[in-house]
Amino acid sequence: MLHIVTSSPFSSQSLQTCLRYSSHEDEIILMQDAVFAALAETPYANALAQRSGQVYVYAPDIQARGVEKKLVSGFPQIDNNAFVALTVQHTQQINWQ
């Protein structure tokens, strides 16, 4: 299953809820303000790094927010083509807002 999180973890519980209900095989994409969850030295980045499932960060949203150099390493950045490929690959998806 693919989980798409779009809200900042600093203003919403959507990431925490996603982590609670996702399985270790599920993949997560952080988009829009959810990219702030991948900032270094946050409890959210640590929680995401401990997952066995893949976590992706949407590159256009990272660039739009100017946080390219503040992200934890280990979360692949994806572009539009990779985003589309992931949505095609996963027939089941949940959008967490």
Side-chain angles (χ1 to χ4, degrees):
M1 179 175 290
L2 180 64
H3 298 265
I4 302 170
V5 184
T6 58
S7 298
S8 169
F10 299 103
S11 63
S12 168
Q13 296 293 314
S14 57
L15 177 61
Q16 293 89 331
T17 305
C18 169
L19 292 173
R20 189 176 321 122
Y21 290 106
S22 62
S23 75
H24 292 287
E25 299 86 33
D26 293 349
E27 296 186 299
I28 297 174
I29 301 175
L30 303 175
M31 298 183 76
Q32 299 176 15
D33 285 342
V35 300
F36 292 123
L39 293 178
E41 300 182 21
T42 66
Y44 308 109
N46 293 334
L48 289 165
Q50 292 177 9
R51 294 187 78 252
S52 58
Q54 187 64 58
V55 177
Y56 302 96
V57 186
Y58 189 60
D61 290 332
I62 295 166
Q63 295 162 356
R65 286 152 181 82
V67 294
E68 301 92 346
K69 296 182 181 181
K70 298 178 181 180
L71 297 179
V72 170
S73 62
F75 299 140
Q77 296 182 26
I78 60 170
D79 60 10
N80 288 329
N81 292 333
F83 173 74
V84 171
L86 284 167
T87 59
V88 169
Q89 175 185 347
H90 294 278
T91 56
Q92 294 184 331
Q93 302 172 21
I94 297 177
N95 189 354
W96 301 92
Q97 298 181 3

